[in-house]
């Protein structure tokens, strides 16, 4: 089952973990997170979202499609995306 977080704003800074399986897609559109977030999903869509804590997005199979739209990370820690062509680390 796909999970869409559209214009979602996290209250507080509690760490969040989201694990999806099968052919599910984790979609973040216009959302804001203030705590750490860890996502593992076959499909990932990030669009117009802000991640203020450590962010880690992992796709178990890099051959499945993913989309990375406009997003920002305010964290001083790495922003990691695994399974999207190649592993990358981005730091503000």
């Amino acid at each position: 089952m796909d999970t869409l977080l559209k214009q979602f704003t996290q209250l507080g800074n509690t760490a969040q973990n989201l694990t999806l399986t099968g052919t599910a897609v984790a979609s973040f559109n216009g959302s804001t997170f203030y705590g750490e977030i860890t996502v593992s999903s076959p499909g990932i869509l990030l669009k117009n979202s802000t991640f203020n804590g450590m962010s880690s997005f992992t796709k178990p199979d890099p051959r499945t499609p993913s989309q990375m739209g406009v997003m920002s990370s305010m964290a001083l820690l790495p922003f990691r995306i695994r399974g999207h062509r190649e592993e990358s680390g981005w730091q503000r």
Side-chain angles (χ1 to χ4, degrees), residues 8-34:
F8 173 86
T9 300
Q10 177 187 16
L11 300 177
N13 60 359
T14 304
Q16 303 297 313
N17 292 296
L18 177 63
T19 302
L20 302 178
T21 60
T23 59
V25 176
S27 298
F28 301 86
N29 187 343
S31 296
T32 301
F33 287 84
Y34 291 101

